[in-house]
Amino acid sequence: TNPLFIMPVEPPIAPTATVNLRLQANSPAIDAGDNTYVTEPFDLDNQTRITDRNGDGAFIVDMGAYESPSFYNYNIMPLIYR
């Protein structure tokens, strides 16, 4: 299955640091990891590893070195109508 990286690396030039291996919003690798293998609380972007990124109520790590950003990670201020 294609993990849907933002900017994947082409095999002829791998390994390289010029790609973006963060996951796209529709990646099947979101919330698809195994929490028992998590040894660090934060990813390479300093994001919390075990969270509910897709909003299904299950707190599961994403596959790969980066957690995907999510709507569920932001504090949303309520709208106040006057």
Side-chain angles (χ1 to χ4, degrees):
T1 302
N2 181 351
L4 300 176
F5 294 126
I6 290 176
M7 191 174 126
V9 63
E10 296 299 324
I13 63 168
T16 179
T18 61
V19 297
N20 186 344
L21 298 178
R22 289 164 185 86
L23 301 173
Q24 293 182 33
N26 60 340
S27 171
I30 294 173
D31 282 0
D34 186 339
N35 293 347
T36 61
Y37 293 105
V38 176
T39 59
E40 298 293 327
F42 302 102
D43 71 1
L44 296 178
D45 282 337
N46 207 32
Q47 297 289 321
T48 303
R49 288 298 314 209
I50 301 175
T51 60
D52 179 18
R53 300 286 177 182
N54 62 6
D56 66 358
F59 286 75
I60 302 172
V61 67
D62 292 350
M63 296 175 81
Y66 300 97
E67 287 295 307
S68 61
S70 170
F71 168 80
Y72 302 97
N73 291 338
Y74 301 105
N75 292 322
I76 306 299
M77 298 300 294
L79 293 175
I80 300 173
Y81 296 98
R82 295 179 190 219

